[in-house]
């Protein structure tokens, strides 16, 4: 069995192993990490040998920590990361490069249609009729997108939204509200087979699916990191938030992972529309949203289109990416879903 895991902000960990009588056998850990002293790698292999196959990543990490020689130093490697790689090997997890990725980047769509397209495309991936897909959104109108379980009246000042001509929609994933202005926002979705995140905890899956964009931002001179549970942050403040939804279809599963990034921001308008924004700022003793959200425009100095192009190029360079499109059948289903569900008050206000 073979498992791989890239430690967030670190290096690749590779584990090869067998099992017999309910325990791990012939465990070999490798990777491009740095480890001192040399004999520490043998201690790690030995700590994992004989571990029950149902030991979780934390339990495996504890075994490793107890066996490491005094003074061991790990660079780009963690005991927990090794445990995750073991769990992925046991779960027969796939790797990014096992798939033929498809890019969908089309013209502006309405907010409710974007919500529907996420559901339709991810369902197609779950059914095995569409390849794993990176979809880059173009917004046709300003919007507030609230999480599946958020209270509409607690999150949004509806009078403020109406005053600014901002539509409110609800997505199928959890998480917090997103403030959207077409020229100031970069949003993308990953619709991936659940095998890609097999063996990962819910928290680890966020870091794993965000890793490529951290690399893309680094190439643009932005030092960013994953901040649990679902933020991408820099020294200057948060620049993005992520959300996920698990879906099942025809015996298969898929994960929707979407991210909204602040390219630029009208902080005063955002605070006039989002109630939760005021409360979060107050809780943190922060007087200005600009101190919490630091847009990519300032950090990169690049036009929005150039940032998107570099992100796409980075993904393509890592994993391969062919140009695709939304099929007529997918679009027809999405339009029907937008009209029947995402564009209705019943759905948007399902948690009043």
């Amino acid at each position: 069995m073979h498992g791989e895991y890239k430690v967030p902000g670190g290096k690749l960990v590779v584990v090869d192993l067998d099992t017999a009588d309910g325990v791990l056998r012939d465990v070999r850990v490798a990777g491009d990490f740095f480890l001192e002293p040399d004999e520490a790698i043998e201690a790690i292999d030995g700590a994992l040998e004989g571990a029950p196959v149902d030991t979780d990543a934390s339990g495996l990490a504890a075994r490793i920590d107890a066996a490491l020689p005094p003074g061991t130093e790990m660079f780009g490697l963690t005991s927990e990361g090794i445990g995750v790689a073991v769990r992925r090997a046991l779960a027969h997890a796939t790797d990014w490069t096992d798939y033929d990725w498809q890019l969908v980047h089309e013209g502006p769509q309405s907010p409710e249609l974007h919500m529907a397209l996420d559901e339709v495309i991810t369902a197609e991936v779950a059914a095995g009729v569409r390849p794993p897909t990176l979809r880059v959104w173009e917004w046709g109108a300003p919007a507030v997108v609230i999480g599946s379980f958020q209270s509409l009246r607690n999150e949004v000042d509806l009078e403020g939204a109406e005053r600014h001509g901002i539509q409110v929609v609800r997505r199928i994933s959890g998480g917090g509200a997103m403030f959207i202005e077409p020229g100031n926002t970069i949003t993308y979705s990953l619709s991936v087979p659940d095998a890609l995140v097999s063996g990962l905890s819910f928290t680890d899956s966020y870091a794993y699916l965000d890793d490529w964009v951290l690399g893309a931002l680094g190439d643009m001179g932005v030092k960013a990191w994953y901040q649990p549970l679902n933020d991408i942050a820099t020294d200057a403040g948060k620049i993005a938030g992520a959300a996920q939804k698990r879906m099942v279809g025809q015996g298969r599963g898929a994960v929707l992972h979407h991210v909204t990034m602040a390219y630029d921001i009208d902080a005063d308008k955002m605070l006039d529309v989002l109630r939760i924004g005021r409360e979060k700022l107050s809780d943190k003793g922060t007087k200005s949203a600009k101190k919490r959200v630091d847009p990519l425009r300032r950090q990169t100095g690049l036009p929005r289109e150039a940032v998107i192009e570099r992100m796409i190029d980075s993904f393509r360079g890592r994993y391969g990416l062919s140009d695709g499109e939304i099929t007529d059948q997918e679009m027809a289903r999405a339009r029907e879903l937008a009209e029947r569900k995402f564009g209705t008050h019943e759905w948007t206000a399902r948690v009043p």
Side-chain angles (χ1 to χ4, degrees):
M1 300 176 189
H2 179 87
E4 298 185 2
Y5 179 63
K6 185 180 182 300
V7 176
K11 298 294 186 176
L12 181 69
V13 182
V14 180
V15 175
D16 291 286
L17 57 84
D18 290 318
T19 63
D21 301 322
V23 299
L24 306 184
R25 295 298 185 197
D26 300 323
V27 183
R28 294 292 179 268
V29 176
D32 60 353
F33 48 80
F34 300 91
L35 179 64
E36 295 289 348
D38 285 349
E39 55 266 27
I41 192 68
E42 297 174 2
I44 291 171
D45 292 345
L48 296 172
E49 190 74 19
V53 295
D54 59 355
T55 308
D56 63 15
S58 296
L60 294 169
R63 291 175 67 105
I64 293 168
D65 289 338
L68 290 173
T72 295
E73 295 191 52
M74 296 181 175
F75 304 92
L77 175 69
T78 65
S79 298
E80 184 79 18
I82 298 170
V84 170
V86 170
R87 297 308 311 168
R88 286 178 60 75
L90 293 168
H92 302 286
T94 56
D95 185 68
W96 294 84
T97 54
D98 291 332
Y99 300 103
D100 295 323
W101 291 89
Q102 187 172 107
L103 170 69
V104 171
H105 187 193
E106 301 189 345
Q109 308 286 1
S110 66
E112 67 270 21
L113 189 57
H114 276 307
M115 304 302 107
L117 284 168
D118 259 1
E119 182 169 328
V120 168
I121 288 174
T122 308
E124 294 280 273
V125 173
V129 297
R130 164 176 274 280
T133 300
L134 168 65
R135 182 170 76 92
V136 179
W137 304 21
E138 295 295 344
W139 291 91
V144 168
V145 183
I146 60 176
S148 181
F149 310 107
Q150 288 189 297
S151 163
L152 176 60
R153 62 170 171 256
N154 287 347
E155 303 298 326
V156 184
D157 185 325
L158 293 175
E159 291 183 0
E162 184 176 0
R163 184 164 57 251
H164 292 291
I166 294 175
Q167 182 181 354
V168 182
V169 293
R170 185 184 295 274
R171 62 181 184 268
I172 59 174
S173 61
M178 305 186 302
F179 177 74
I180 306 297
E181 292 185 294
N184 290 346
T185 305
I186 297 172
T187 303
Y188 67 86
S189 300
L190 286 169
S191 297
V192 307
D194 59 2
L196 184 62
V197 296
S198 290
L200 299 180
S201 68
F202 190 71
T203 300
D204 288 337
S205 72
Y206 273 86
Y208 186 69
L209 294 176
D210 282 338
D211 187 68
W212 73 275
V213 79
L214 299 184
L217 291 169
D219 292 341
M220 289 181 265
V222 179
K223 183 180 179 181
W225 59 86
Y226 164 72
Q227 183 170 295
L229 170 65
N230 60 337
D231 288 345
I232 296 174
T234 69
D235 286 331
K238 173 181 172 179
I239 57 173
Q244 287 187 9
K245 175 69 175 179
R246 264 66 171 168
M247 301 179 70
V248 178
Q250 299 181 9
R252 304 169 184 251
V255 177
L256 168 65
H257 180 91
H258 44 199
V259 174
T260 289
M261 314 178 78
Y263 172 73
D264 205 346
I265 192 167
D266 186 332
D268 293 332
K269 186 186 295 185
M270 181 183 73
L271 292 179
D272 203 28
V273 174
L274 294 183
R275 297 185 189 278
I276 195 68
R278 303 167 195 165
E279 294 172 8
K280 282 185 177 178
L281 294 175
S282 175
D283 289 345
K284 297 178 184 296
T286 306
K287 295 180 180 179
S288 171
K290 295 178 182 177
K291 294 181 180 179
R292 287 197 67 239
V293 181
D294 197 68
L296 288 171
R297 180 178 183 177
R298 187 194 69 79
Q299 294 203 45
T300 64
L302 296 170
R304 175 181 176 274
E305 293 74 16
V307 174
I308 292 173
E309 182 178 355
R310 292 197 184 191
M311 288 171 57
I312 292 171
D313 287 345
S314 180
F315 191 102
R316 181 177 283 115
R318 283 176 172 233
Y319 310 126
L321 189 65
S322 61
D323 293 335
E325 61 182 8
I326 301 167
T327 67
D328 291 342
Q329 293 86 350
E330 289 169 338
M331 183 59 76
R333 288 173 54 200
R335 292 190 186 283
E336 186 273 332
L337 195 58
E339 181 177 354
R340 173 173 55 84
K341 179 178 178 180
F342 293 105
T344 67
H345 178 74
E346 288 75 16
W347 169 257
T348 304
R350 75 184 187 98
V351 183

